[in-house]
Coordinates of all heavy atoms in Angstrom, one line a residue:
M1 N 9.2 22.4 -15.6 CA 9.0 21.0 -15.2 C 8.0 21.0 -14.0 O 8.3 21.6 -13.0 CB 10.3 20.4 -14.8 CG 10.2 18.9 -14.5 SD 11.8 18.1 -14.3 CE 12.3 18.8 -12.8
P2 N 6.9 20.3 -14.2 CA 5.9 20.2 -13.0 C 6.5 19.4 -11.9 O 7.1 18.4 -12.1 CB 4.7 19.5 -13.6 CG 5.2 18.8 -14.8 CD 6.4 19.5 -15.3
I3 N 6.3 19.9 -10.7 CA 6.7 19.2 -9.5 C 5.5 18.7 -8.8 O 4.6 19.5 -8.4 CB 7.6 20.1 -8.6 CG1 8.8 20.6 -9.4 CG2 7.9 19.4 -7.3 CD1 9.6 21.6 -8.6
S4 N 5.5 17.3 -8.6 CA 4.3 16.8 -7.9 C 4.5 16.8 -6.4 O 5.5 16.5 -5.9 CB 4.1 15.3 -8.4 OG 3.1 14.7 -7.6
E5 N 3.4 17.3 -5.7 CA 3.4 17.3 -4.3 C 2.8 16.0 -3.7 O 2.9 15.7 -2.6 CB 2.6 18.5 -3.8 CG 3.2 19.8 -4.1 CD 4.6 20.0 -3.5 OE1 4.8 19.6 -2.3 OE2 5.5 20.6 -4.1
S6 N 2.1 15.2 -4.6 CA 1.4 14.0 -4.1 C 2.4 12.9 -3.8 O 3.4 12.7 -4.6 CB 0.5 13.6 -5.2 OG -0.5 14.5 -5.5
P7 N 2.2 12.2 -2.7 CA 3.1 11.1 -2.5 C 2.9 9.9 -3.5 O 1.8 9.9 -4.1 CB 2.7 10.6 -1.1 CG 1.4 11.2 -0.9 CD 1.2 12.4 -1.7
K8 N 3.9 9.1 -3.7 CA 3.8 8.0 -4.6 C 3.3 6.8 -3.7 O 4.0 6.5 -2.6 CB 5.1 7.7 -5.2 CG 5.1 6.6 -6.3 CD 6.5 6.5 -6.9 CE 6.6 5.1 -7.4 NZ 8.0 4.6 -7.4
L9 N 2.3 6.2 -4.1 CA 1.6 5.1 -3.2 C 1.8 3.7 -3.8 O 1.5 3.6 -5.0 CB 0.2 5.4 -3.0 CG -0.2 6.8 -2.4 CD1 -1.7 7.0 -2.4 CD2 0.4 6.9 -1.0
S10 N 2.2 2.8 -3.0 CA 2.3 1.4 -3.5 C 1.6 0.5 -2.4 O 1.9 0.6 -1.2 CB 3.7 0.9 -3.7 OG 4.4 1.8 -4.5
L11 N 0.7 -0.4 -2.9 CA 0.0 -1.3 -2.0 C 0.6 -2.7 -2.1 O 0.5 -3.3 -3.2 CB -1.5 -1.3 -2.3 CG -2.2 -2.2 -1.3 CD1 -2.3 -1.6 0.1 CD2 -3.6 -2.6 -1.8
Y12 N 1.2 -3.2 -1.0 CA 1.7 -4.5 -1.0 C 0.6 -5.4 -0.6 O 0.0 -5.2 0.5 CB 2.9 -4.6 0.0 CG 4.1 -3.9 -0.6 CD1 4.2 -2.5 -0.8 CD2 5.2 -4.7 -1.1 CE1 5.3 -1.9 -1.4 CE2 6.3 -4.0 -1.7 CZ 6.3 -2.7 -1.8 OH 7.4 -2.0 -2.4
H13 N 0.3 -6.4 -1.4 CA -0.9 -7.3 -1.2 C -0.7 -8.6 -1.7 O 0.4 -8.9 -2.2 CB -2.1 -6.6 -1.8 CG -2.1 -6.6 -3.3 ND1 -2.7 -7.5 -4.1 CD2 -1.4 -5.8 -4.2 CE1 -2.5 -7.3 -5.4 NE2 -1.6 -6.2 -5.5
R14 N -1.6 -9.5 -1.6 CA -1.6 -10.8 -2.2 C -3.0 -11.3 -2.5 O -4.0 -10.7 -2.0 CB -0.8 -11.8 -1.4 CG -1.4 -12.2 0.0 CD -0.7 -13.4 0.5 NE -0.9 -13.8 1.9 CZ -2.0 -14.4 2.3 NH1 -3.0 -14.6 1.5 NH2 -2.1 -14.7 3.6
S15 N -3.1 -12.4 -3.2 CA -4.4 -13.0 -3.5 C -4.9 -13.7 -2.2 O -4.2 -14.0 -1.3 CB -4.2 -14.1 -4.6 OG -3.4 -13.6 -5.6
F16 N -6.2 -14.0 -2.2 CA -6.9 -14.6 -1.1 C -6.7 -14.0 0.2 O -6.4 -14.6 1.2 CB -6.5 -16.1 -1.0 CG -6.6 -16.8 -2.4 CD1 -5.5 -17.2 -3.1 CD2 -7.9 -17.1 -2.9 CE1 -5.7 -17.8 -4.4 CE2 -8.0 -17.7 -4.1 CZ -6.9 -18.1 -4.9
C17 N -6.7 -12.7 0.3 CA -6.5 -11.9 1.5 C -7.7 -10.9 1.6 O -7.7 -9.9 0.8 CB -5.2 -11.2 1.4 SG -5.0 -9.9 2.6
M18 N -8.6 -11.1 2.5 CA -9.8 -10.3 2.6 C -9.4 -8.9 3.0 O -10.1 -7.9 2.6 CB -10.9 -10.9 3.5 CG -10.5 -10.9 4.9 SD -12.0 -11.5 5.9 CE -11.3 -11.4 7.5
F19 N -8.4 -8.7 3.8 CA -8.0 -7.4 4.3 C -7.4 -6.6 3.1 O -7.7 -5.4 2.9 CB -6.9 -7.5 5.4 CG -7.4 -8.2 6.6 CD1 -7.1 -9.5 6.9 CD2 -8.3 -7.5 7.5 CE1 -7.5 -10.1 8.0 CE2 -8.8 -8.1 8.6 CZ -8.4 -9.4 8.9
C20 N -6.7 -7.3 2.2 CA -6.2 -6.7 1.0 C -7.4 -6.3 0.1 O -7.4 -5.2 -0.5 CB -5.3 -7.6 0.2 SG -3.9 -8.2 1.2
S21 N -8.4 -7.2 -0.1 CA -9.5 -6.9 -1.0 C -10.3 -5.6 -0.5 O -10.7 -4.8 -1.3 CB -10.5 -8.1 -1.0 OG -9.8 -9.2 -1.5
R22 N -10.4 -5.5 0.8 CA -11.1 -4.4 1.4 C -10.3 -3.1 1.0 O -11.0 -2.1 0.6 CB -11.1 -4.5 2.9 CG -12.0 -3.5 3.5 CD -11.9 -3.4 5.0 NE -12.1 -4.6 5.7 CZ -11.7 -4.8 7.0 NH1 -11.0 -3.9 7.6 NH2 -12.0 -5.9 7.6
V23 N -9.0 -3.1 1.1 CA -8.2 -1.9 0.7 C -8.3 -1.6 -0.8 O -8.6 -0.5 -1.2 CB -6.8 -2.0 1.1 CG1 -6.0 -0.8 0.6 CG2 -6.7 -2.2 2.6
I24 N -8.3 -2.7 -1.6 CA -8.3 -2.5 -3.0 C -9.7 -2.0 -3.5 O -9.8 -1.1 -4.3 CB -8.0 -3.9 -3.7 CG1 -6.5 -4.2 -3.5 CG2 -8.4 -3.9 -5.2 CD1 -6.1 -5.6 -3.9
N25 N -10.8 -2.5 -2.8 CA -12.1 -1.9 -3.1 C -12.2 -0.5 -2.8 O -12.8 0.3 -3.5 CB -13.2 -2.8 -2.4 CG -13.3 -4.2 -3.1 OD1 -13.0 -4.3 -4.2 ND2 -13.8 -5.1 -2.3
A26 N -11.6 -0.1 -1.6 CA -11.7 1.3 -1.3 C -10.9 2.2 -2.3 O -11.3 3.3 -2.6 CB -11.0 1.5 0.1
I27 N -9.8 1.7 -2.7 CA -9.0 2.4 -3.7 C -9.8 2.6 -5.0 O -9.8 3.7 -5.6 CB -7.7 1.7 -4.0 CG1 -6.7 1.8 -2.8 CG2 -7.0 2.2 -5.3 CD1 -5.5 0.8 -2.9
K28 N -10.5 1.6 -5.4 CA -11.3 1.7 -6.6 C -12.4 2.7 -6.4 O -12.7 3.6 -7.3 CB -11.9 0.3 -7.0 CG -10.9 -0.6 -7.6 CD -11.6 -2.0 -7.8 CE -10.6 -3.0 -8.3 NZ -11.1 -4.4 -8.2
G29 N -13.0 2.7 -5.2 CA -14.1 3.7 -4.9 C -13.6 5.1 -4.9 O -14.3 6.1 -5.2
L30 N -12.4 5.3 -4.4 CA -11.8 6.6 -4.3 C -11.2 7.2 -5.6 O -10.9 8.3 -5.7 CB -10.7 6.6 -3.2 CG -11.3 6.4 -1.8 CD1 -10.1 6.1 -0.8 CD2 -12.0 7.7 -1.3
D31 N -11.0 6.2 -6.5 CA -10.4 6.6 -7.8 C -9.0 7.3 -7.6 O -8.9 8.5 -8.1 CB -11.4 7.5 -8.6 CG -10.8 7.8 -10.0 OD1 -10.1 6.9 -10.6 OD2 -11.2 8.8 -10.6
I32 N -8.2 6.6 -7.0 CA -6.8 7.2 -6.7 C -5.8 6.3 -7.4 O -6.0 5.1 -7.6 CB -6.5 7.4 -5.2 CG1 -6.8 6.1 -4.5 CG2 -7.2 8.6 -4.7 CD1 -6.5 6.2 -3.0
D33 N -4.6 6.8 -7.6 CA -3.5 6.1 -8.3 C -2.6 5.4 -7.2 O -2.0 6.1 -6.4 CB -2.6 7.0 -9.1 CG -3.4 7.5 -10.3 OD1 -4.3 6.8 -10.8 OD2 -3.1 8.7 -10.8
V34 N -2.7 4.1 -7.2 CA -1.9 3.3 -6.3 C -1.3 2.2 -7.0 O -2.0 1.4 -7.8 CB -2.7 2.7 -5.1 CG1 -1.8 1.9 -4.1 CG2 -3.5 3.9 -4.3
D35 N 0.0 2.0 -6.9 CA 0.7 0.9 -7.6 C 0.5 -0.4 -6.8 O 0.9 -0.4 -5.6 CB 2.2 1.3 -7.7 CG 3.0 0.4 -8.6 OD1 2.4 -0.3 -9.4 OD2 4.2 0.3 -8.4
G36 N 0.0 -1.4 -7.5 CA -0.2 -2.7 -6.8 C 1.0 -3.6 -6.8 O 1.7 -3.7 -7.9
K37 N 1.4 -4.1 -5.7 CA 2.6 -5.0 -5.6 C 2.1 -6.3 -5.0 O 2.0 -6.4 -3.8 CB 3.7 -4.4 -4.7 CG 4.2 -3.0 -5.2 CD 5.4 -3.2 -5.9 CE 6.1 -1.8 -6.1 NZ 7.3 -1.9 -6.9
N38 N 1.9 -7.3 -5.8 CA 1.4 -8.6 -5.4 C 2.6 -9.4 -4.9 O 3.4 -9.8 -5.8 CB 0.6 -9.3 -6.5 CG 0.0 -10.6 -6.0 OD1 0.5 -11.3 -5.1 ND2 -1.2 -10.9 -6.5
I39 N 2.8 -9.7 -3.7 CA 4.0 -10.3 -3.1 C 4.0 -11.8 -3.5 O 5.1 -12.5 -3.3 CB 4.1 -10.2 -1.6 CG1 2.9 -10.8 -0.8 CG2 4.3 -8.7 -1.3 CD1 3.2 -11.0 0.6
W40 N 3.0 -12.4 -4.0 CA 3.0 -13.8 -4.5 C 3.4 -13.9 -6.0 O 3.7 -15.0 -6.4 CB 1.6 -14.4 -4.3 CG 1.3 -14.9 -2.9 CD1 2.2 -14.9 -1.9 CD2 0.2 -15.6 -2.5 NE1 1.6 -15.5 -0.8 CE2 0.4 -15.9 -1.1 CE3 -1.0 -16.0 -3.1 CZ2 -0.6 -16.6 -0.3 CZ3 -2.0 -16.7 -2.3 CH2 -1.8 -17.0 -1.0
Q41 N 3.4 -12.8 -6.6 CA 3.8 -12.7 -8.1 C 5.1 -12.0 -8.3 O 5.6 -12.0 -9.4 CB 2.7 -12.0 -8.9 CG 1.4 -12.8 -8.8 CD 0.2 -12.1 -9.5 OE1 0.4 -10.9 -10.0 NE2 -0.9 -12.7 -9.7
D42 N 5.6 -11.3 -7.3 CA 6.7 -10.4 -7.5 C 7.7 -10.6 -6.3 O 7.4 -10.1 -5.2 CB 6.2 -8.9 -7.5 CG 7.3 -7.9 -7.7 OD1 8.4 -8.2 -7.5 OD2 6.9 -6.7 -8.0
S43 N 8.7 -11.4 -6.5 CA 9.6 -11.7 -5.4 C 10.4 -10.5 -4.9 O 10.8 -10.4 -3.7 CB 10.6 -12.8 -5.8 OG 11.3 -12.4 -6.9
D44 N 10.6 -9.5 -5.8 CA 11.3 -8.2 -5.4 C 10.4 -7.5 -4.4 O 10.9 -7.0 -3.4 CB 11.6 -7.3 -6.6 CG 12.7 -7.8 -7.4 OD1 13.5 -8.7 -7.0 OD2 12.8 -7.4 -8.6
A45 N 9.1 -7.5 -4.7 CA 8.1 -6.8 -3.8 C 8.1 -7.5 -2.4 O 8.1 -6.9 -1.4 CB 6.8 -6.8 -4.4
L46 N 8.2 -8.9 -2.4 CA 8.2 -9.6 -1.2 C 9.4 -9.3 -0.4 O 9.3 -9.0 0.9 CB 8.1 -11.1 -1.5 CG 8.3 -12.0 -0.3 CD1 7.2 -11.8 0.8 CD2 8.3 -13.5 -0.7
H47 N 10.5 -9.2 -1.0 CA 11.8 -8.8 -0.3 C 11.8 -7.4 0.3 O 12.2 -7.1 1.4 CB 13.0 -9.1 -1.2 CG 13.2 -10.5 -1.5 ND1 13.6 -11.0 -2.7 CD2 13.2 -11.6 -0.7 CE1 13.7 -12.3 -2.7 NE2 13.4 -12.7 -1.5
E48 N 11.2 -6.5 -0.5 CA 11.1 -5.1 -0.1 C 10.2 -5.0 1.2 O 10.6 -4.3 2.1 CB 10.4 -4.2 -1.2 CG 11.3 -4.0 -2.4 CD 10.5 -3.6 -3.6 OE1 9.3 -3.3 -3.5 OE2 11.0 -3.6 -4.7
L49 N 9.1 -5.8 1.1 CA 8.2 -5.8 2.3 C 8.8 -6.4 3.5 O 8.8 -5.8 4.6 CB 6.9 -6.5 1.9 CG 5.8 -6.7 3.0 CD1 5.3 -5.3 3.3 CD2 4.8 -7.6 2.6
E50 N 9.5 -7.5 3.3 CA 10.1 -8.1 4.5 C 11.3 -7.3 5.1 O 11.5 -7.2 6.2 CB 10.6 -9.5 4.1 CG 9.5 -10.5 3.9 CD 10.0 -11.9 3.4 OE1 11.0 -11.9 2.6 OE2 9.4 -12.9 3.7
S51 N 12.0 -6.6 4.2 CA 13.1 -5.7 4.7 C 12.5 -4.6 5.5 O 13.1 -4.2 6.5 CB 13.9 -5.2 3.5 OG 14.5 -6.2 2.8
A52 N 11.4 -4.0 5.0 CA 10.8 -2.9 5.7 C 10.1 -3.2 6.9 O 10.2 -2.5 8.0 CB 9.9 -2.1 4.7
M53 N 9.4 -4.3 6.9 CA 8.4 -4.6 8.0 C 8.9 -5.8 8.9 O 8.4 -6.0 10.0 CB 7.1 -5.0 7.5 CG 6.4 -4.0 6.6 SD 6.2 -2.4 7.4 CE 4.9 -2.8 8.5
G54 N 9.9 -6.5 8.4 CA 10.4 -7.7 9.2 C 9.4 -8.9 9.1 O 9.6 -9.9 9.8
R55 N 8.4 -8.8 8.3 CA 7.4 -9.9 8.1 C 6.7 -9.6 6.8 O 6.8 -8.5 6.2 CB 6.5 -9.9 9.3 CG 5.7 -8.6 9.5 CD 5.1 -8.6 10.9 NE 3.9 -9.4 10.9 CZ 3.1 -9.5 12.0 NH1 3.3 -8.7 13.0 NH2 2.0 -10.3 11.9
A56 N 5.9 -10.6 6.4 CA 5.3 -10.5 5.1 C 3.8 -10.3 5.2 O 3.0 -10.7 4.3 CB 5.6 -11.8 4.2
T57 N 3.3 -9.8 6.3 CA 1.9 -9.6 6.5 C 1.4 -8.5 5.6 O 2.1 -7.4 5.5 CB 1.6 -9.2 8.0 OG1 2.1 -10.3 8.8 CG2 0.1 -9.1 8.2
V58 N 0.3 -8.7 4.9 CA -0.3 -7.7 4.0 C -1.7 -7.5 4.4 O -2.3 -8.3 5.1 CB -0.2 -8.2 2.6 CG1 1.2 -8.0 2.0 CG2 -0.7 -9.6 2.4
P59 N -2.3 -6.3 4.1 CA -1.8 -5.3 3.2 C -0.9 -4.3 4.0 O -1.0 -4.1 5.2 CB -3.1 -4.6 2.8 CG -4.0 -4.7 3.9 CD -3.7 -6.0 4.5
V60 N 0.0 -3.7 3.2 CA 0.9 -2.6 3.7 C 0.9 -1.6 2.6 O 1.1 -1.9 1.4 CB 2.3 -3.1 4.0 CG1 3.2 -1.9 4.4 CG2 2.3 -4.1 5.2
L61 N 0.7 -0.3 3.0 CA 0.8 0.8 2.0 C 2.2 1.5 2.2 O 2.6 1.9 3.3 CB -0.3 1.8 2.3 CG -0.4 3.0 1.3 CD1 -0.8 2.5 -0.1 CD2 -1.3 4.1 1.8
R62 N 3.0 1.6 1.1 CA 4.2 2.3 1.1 C 3.9 3.7 0.5 O 3.4 3.9 -0.6 CB 5.2 1.6 0.2 CG 6.6 2.3 0.1 CD 7.5 1.6 -0.8 NE 8.9 2.2 -0.8 CZ 9.3 3.2 -1.6 NH1 8.4 3.8 -2.4 NH2 10.5 3.6 -1.5
I63 N 4.3 4.7 1.4 CA 4.0 6.1 1.0 C 5.3 6.8 0.9 O 6.1 6.9 1.8 CB 3.2 6.8 2.2 CG1 1.9 6.0 2.5 CG2 2.9 8.2 1.8 CD1 1.3 6.3 3.8
E64 N 5.6 7.2 -0.4 CA 6.9 8.0 -0.7 C 6.5 9.4 -0.9 O 5.9 9.8 -1.9 CB 7.6 7.4 -1.9 CG 8.9 8.0 -2.1 CD 9.7 7.4 -3.3 OE1 9.5 6.2 -3.5 OE2 10.5 8.1 -3.9
A65 N 6.9 10.3 0.0 CA 6.6 11.7 -0.1 C 7.4 12.3 -1.2 O 8.4 11.8 -1.7 CB 6.9 12.4 1.2
A66 N 7.0 13.5 -1.6 CA 7.7 14.2 -2.7 C 9.2 14.5 -2.4 O 10.0 14.6 -3.3 CB 6.9 15.5 -3.0
D67 N 9.5 14.6 -1.1 CA 10.9 14.9 -0.7 C 11.7 13.5 -0.5 O 12.8 13.6 -0.1 CB 10.9 15.7 0.6 CG 10.4 14.9 1.8 OD1 10.0 13.7 1.7 OD2 10.3 15.5 2.9
G68 N 11.1 12.4 -0.9 CA 11.7 11.1 -0.8 C 11.6 10.4 0.4 O 12.0 9.2 0.5
E69 N 11.0 11.0 1.5 CA 10.8 10.3 2.7 C 9.8 9.1 2.5 O 8.7 9.3 1.9 CB 10.3 11.2 3.8 CG 10.2 10.6 5.2 CD 9.7 11.5 6.3 OE1 9.6 12.7 6.0 OE2 9.4 11.0 7.3
V70 N 10.1 8.0 3.1 CA 9.3 6.8 2.9 C 8.6 6.3 4.2 O 9.3 6.3 5.2 CB 10.0 5.6 2.3 CG1 9.2 4.4 2.2 CG2 10.5 6.0 0.8
M71 N 7.3 6.0 4.2 CA 6.7 5.5 5.4 C 5.9 4.2 4.9 O 5.4 4.2 3.8 CB 5.6 6.6 5.8 CG 5.1 6.3 7.2 SD 3.9 7.7 7.5 CE 2.4 6.8 7.5
W72 N 5.9 3.2 5.8 CA 5.3 2.0 5.5 C 4.1 1.9 6.5 O 4.3 1.9 7.7 CB 6.2 0.8 5.7 CG 7.3 0.7 4.7 CD1 8.5 1.5 4.8 CD2 7.4 -0.1 3.6 NE1 9.2 1.2 3.7 CE2 8.6 0.2 2.9 CE3 6.5 -1.0 3.0 CZ2 9.0 -0.5 1.7 CZ3 6.9 -1.7 1.8 CH2 8.1 -1.4 1.2
M73 N 2.9 1.8 6.0 CA 1.7 1.7 6.8 C 1.0 0.3 6.8 O 0.4 0.0 5.7 CB 0.7 2.8 6.4 CG -0.6 2.9 7.2 SD -1.7 4.2 6.6 CE -0.8 5.6 7.1
P74 N 1.0 -0.4 7.8 CA 0.3 -1.7 7.9 C -1.2 -1.4 8.3 O -1.5 -0.2 8.6 CB 1.0 -2.5 8.9 CG 1.6 -1.5 9.8 CD 1.8 -0.2 9.1
E75 N -2.0 -2.4 8.4 CA -3.3 -2.4 9.0 C -4.3 -1.8 8.0 O -4.3 -0.6 7.7 CB -3.5 -1.6 10.3 CG -2.7 -2.3 11.5 CD -3.4 -3.7 11.7 OE1 -4.6 -3.9 11.5 OE2 -2.6 -4.6 12.1
S76 N -5.2 -2.7 7.5 CA -6.2 -2.3 6.4 C -7.0 -1.1 6.8 O -7.3 -0.2 6.0 CB -7.1 -3.5 6.1 OG -7.6 -4.0 7.2
N77 N -7.5 -1.1 8.1 CA -8.3 0.1 8.5 C -7.6 1.4 8.5 O -8.1 2.4 8.0 CB -8.8 -0.2 10.0 CG -9.9 -1.2 10.0 OD1 -10.6 -1.5 9.1 ND2 -10.1 -1.8 11.2
D78 N -6.3 1.3 8.9 CA -5.5 2.6 8.9 C -5.3 3.0 7.5 O -5.3 4.2 7.2 CB -4.2 2.3 9.6 CG -4.3 2.1 11.1 OD1 -5.4 2.5 11.6 OD2 -3.4 1.7 11.8
I79 N -5.0 2.0 6.6 CA -4.7 2.4 5.2 C -6.0 3.0 4.5 O -5.9 4.1 3.9 CB -4.3 1.1 4.4 CG1 -3.0 0.6 4.9 CG2 -4.2 1.4 2.9 CD1 -2.6 -0.8 4.4
V80 N -7.1 2.4 4.7 CA -8.4 3.0 4.2 C -8.6 4.4 4.7 O -9.0 5.3 4.0 CB -9.6 2.1 4.4 CG1 -10.9 2.7 4.0 CG2 -9.4 0.7 3.6
R81 N -8.4 4.6 6.0 CA -8.6 5.9 6.6 C -7.7 6.9 6.0 O -8.1 8.0 5.7 CB -8.4 5.7 8.2 CG -8.9 7.0 8.9 CD -8.8 6.9 10.4 NE -9.4 5.7 10.9 CZ -8.7 4.7 11.5 NH1 -7.4 4.7 11.7 NH2 -9.4 3.6 12.0
Y82 N -6.4 6.5 5.9 CA -5.4 7.4 5.4 C -5.8 7.8 3.9 O -5.8 9.0 3.6 CB -4.0 6.8 5.3 CG -3.0 7.5 4.6 CD1 -2.3 8.6 5.1 CD2 -2.7 7.2 3.2 CE1 -1.3 9.3 4.4 CE2 -1.8 7.9 2.5 CZ -1.1 8.9 3.1 OH -0.2 9.6 2.4
L83 N -6.2 6.8 3.1 CA -6.5 7.2 1.7 C -7.7 8.0 1.6 O -7.8 9.0 0.8 CB -6.7 5.9 0.9 CG -5.4 5.0 0.7 CD1 -5.7 3.7 0.1 CD2 -4.4 5.8 -0.1
S84 N -8.7 7.7 2.5 CA -10.0 8.5 2.4 C -9.8 9.9 2.9 O -10.3 10.8 2.3 CB -11.0 7.8 3.3 OG -11.3 6.5 3.0
N85 N -8.9 10.1 3.9 CA -8.7 11.5 4.4 C -7.9 12.3 3.4 O -8.1 13.5 3.3 CB -8.0 11.4 5.7 CG -8.9 10.9 6.8 OD1 -10.1 10.9 6.7 ND2 -8.3 10.4 7.9
H86 N -6.9 11.6 2.7 CA -6.0 12.4 1.9 C -6.6 12.6 0.5 O -6.2 13.5 -0.2 CB -4.6 11.8 1.9 CG -4.0 12.0 3.2 ND1 -4.3 11.3 4.3 CD2 -3.0 12.9 3.6 CE1 -3.5 11.7 5.3 NE2 -2.7 12.6 4.9
K87 N -7.3 11.6 0.0 CA -7.9 11.6 -1.4 C -6.8 12.0 -2.3 O -6.9 12.9 -3.1 CB -9.1 12.5 -1.5 CG -10.3 11.9 -0.8 CD -11.6 12.4 -1.5 CE -12.7 11.7 -0.8 NZ -13.8 12.6 -0.3
I88 N -5.7 11.3 -2.3 CA -4.5 11.6 -3.1 C -4.7 11.1 -4.5 O -5.1 9.9 -4.7 CB -3.3 11.0 -2.5 CG1 -3.0 11.5 -1.1 CG2 -2.0 11.3 -3.3 CD1 -2.3 10.5 -0.2
K89 N -4.6 11.9 -5.5 CA -4.8 11.5 -6.9 C -3.4 11.2 -7.5 O -2.5 11.9 -7.3 CB -5.5 12.6 -7.6 CG -5.8 12.2 -9.1 CD -6.9 11.3 -9.2 CE -7.3 11.1 -10.7 NZ -8.1 9.9 -10.9
Ligands
GSH101 N1 -5.1 -6.6 11.1 C1 -4.5 -6.8 9.8 C2 -4.5 -8.2 9.4 C3 -3.7 -8.5 8.2 C4 -3.6 -10.1 7.9 O1 -3.9 -10.9 8.8 N2 -3.1 -10.4 6.8 C5 -2.9 -11.8 6.4 C6 -3.5 -12.1 5.0 S1 -5.2 -11.7 4.9 C7 -1.5 -12.1 6.3 O2 -0.7 -11.5 5.6 N3 -1.0 -13.3 6.9 C8 0.3 -13.8 6.8 C9 1.3 -13.3 7.7 O3 0.9 -12.5 8.7 O4 2.5 -13.5 7.5 C10 -5.1 -5.9 8.8 O5 -6.3 -5.5 9.0 O6 -4.5 -5.5 7.8

């Protein structure tokens, strides 16, 4: 059974958010797999985000490591930098 070392990535975002668009465009350019969670279309995603961050500001990248450890990363600049540096597929 193959064991993936790559973290599982989810981007919490919403429509009409230029910071979100910037991250989404970077993801397209990098050709990486990131699960999109639109908090205006998915109430479960909104609750997950609010539970983790205490607020609904987007974008936020949820990073789930292979060992199950979860990290939540806010700030579009930090997210783009993280994705560019890691180039996780
Ligand atoms: N400095 C942040 C700004 C994020 C931000 O202002 N997001 C807006 C949408 S574009 C937002 O979620 N505002 C609603 C809120 O903070 O509850 C970044 O670069 O990611």
Side-chain angles (χ1 to χ4, degrees):
M1 183 172 70
I3 298 172
S4 172
E5 296 295 323
S6 298
K8 190 176 152 209
L9 303 174
S10 305
L11 182 72
Y12 289 70
H13 67 98
R14 66 165 167 79
S15 316
F16 307 108
C17 165
M18 68 174 182
F19 298 102
C20 303
S21 299
R22 190 194 298 161
V23 175
I24 290 167
N25 286 336
I27 288 168
K28 286 177 185 162
L30 290 164
D31 188 28
I32 51 181
D33 292 330
V34 180
D35 187 22
K37 303 258 191 185
N38 187 324
I39 61 167
W40 278 0
Q41 296 174 355
D42 180 347
S43 57
D44 288 343
L46 174 60
H47 292 138
E48 289 159 15
L49 179 66
E50 288 176 329
S51 297
M53 305 300 291
R55 56 196 288 185
T57 303
V58 284
V60 175
L61 184 68
R62 181 183 186 274
I63 305 162
E64 183 175 336
D67 65 3
E69 188 181 348
V70 173
M71 192 179 111
W72 294 78
M73 179 182 290
E75 292 299 327
S76 53
N77 284 341
D78 291 344
I79 296 169
V80 170
R81 192 177 308 115
Y82 170 84
L83 294 173
S84 302
N85 288 342
H86 289 74
K87 286 205 178 130
I88 302 150
K89 182 75 176 164

